[in-house]
């Protein structure tokens, strides 16, 4: 059996899920959260050396990254699917030039409890009122298309 070569977005997915979990357990200013955010920012910087953007979405309970479905057995993927579904995010695009502060603001928003989000008008409303220039939400669902 041939070993699988990691996709270029795999470290981003793992770092994004890990950082989101740290933001749920600690404040954004806690050293553990800051370290995790710095690692995520480094992974994004590496990715964006050759790419302009990365698109995430969900298809049922499966995470999709740049059009490829990712294993639903990986806890990082499952965590992001749950977070996106909780916030009603169909698709999320991160663009080159994103900085740690913008990522941090987004993760703080994504980590809010559903009750708190609803009290503020929902995720989309709070997101629109933020100053996100390198993160974009899109509507639309991913669908599995079979060839043949």
């Amino acid at each position: 059996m041939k070993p699988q070569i990691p996709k270029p977005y795999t470290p981003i997915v793992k770092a994004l899920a890990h950082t989101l979990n740290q933001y749920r357990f600690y404040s954004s200013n806690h050293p553990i959260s800051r370290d995790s955010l710095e690692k995520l920012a480094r992974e994004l910087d590496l990715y964006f050396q050759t790419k302009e953007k990365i698109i995430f979405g969900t298809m049922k309970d499966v995470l999709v990254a740049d059009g490829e479905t990712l294993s639903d057995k990986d806890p990082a993927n499952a965590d992001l699917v749950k977070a996106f579904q909780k916030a009603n995010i169909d698709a999320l695009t991160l663009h080159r030039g994103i900085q740690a502060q913008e990522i941090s603001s987004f993760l703080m928003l994504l980590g809010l409890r559903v009750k708190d989000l609803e009290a503020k008008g929902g995720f989309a409303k709070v997101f629109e009122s933020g100053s996100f220039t390198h993160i974009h939400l899109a509507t639309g669902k991913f669908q599995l298309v079979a060839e043949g």
Side-chain angles (χ1 to χ4, degrees):
M1 182 178 193
K2 238 166 114 175
Q4 282 192 317
I5 298 170
K7 301 290 184 185
Y9 45 75
T10 301
I12 295 170
V13 170
K14 292 193 180 308
L16 183 59
H18 180 74
T19 306
L20 178 58
N21 283 330
Q22 298 310 316
Y23 271 56
R24 288 178 176 150
F25 293 124
Y26 306 101
S27 75
S28 61
N29 293 324
H30 192 281
I32 292 174
S33 297
R34 285 196 315 250
D35 288 346
S36 187
L37 178 64
E38 288 171 14
K39 180 179 185 330
L40 173 57
R42 282 192 308 273
E43 293 296 348
L44 286 166
D45 285 344
L46 283 171
Y47 183 85
F48 290 134
Q49 287 177 3
T50 59
K51 308 275 187 183
E52 291 291 322
K53 62 185 176 183
I54 183 169
I55 301 171
F56 293 105
T58 59
M59 184 175 59
K60 295 188 181 183
D61 290 335
V62 176
L63 184 67
V64 178
D66 280 347
E68 293 189 42
T69 57
L70 307 180
S71 170
D72 57 351
K73 305 285 188 254
D74 187 320
N77 300 346
D79 286 349
L80 288 180
V81 167
K82 287 177 191 166
F84 290 174
Q85 289 173 339
K86 180 189 85 166
N88 292 318
I89 296 173
D90 293 330
L92 165 73
T93 305
L94 305 178
H95 294 271
R96 179 186 286 172
I98 192 168
Q99 300 295 313
Q101 183 55 46
E102 188 173 359
I103 299 166
S104 180
S105 296
F106 177 75
L107 292 174
M108 285 191 292
L109 177 59
L110 194 58
L112 288 176
R113 296 180 311 179
V114 172
K115 182 174 107 177
D116 295 334
L117 281 173
E118 288 173 354
K120 295 178 180 193
F123 182 88
K125 184 174 183 178
V126 179
F127 180 87
E128 288 173 10
S129 68
S131 57
F132 297 103
T133 56
H134 296 89
I135 302 173
H136 297 104
L137 302 180
T139 56
K141 300 279 185 195
F142 286 91
Q143 286 186 310
L144 184 61
V145 178
E147 291 183 35

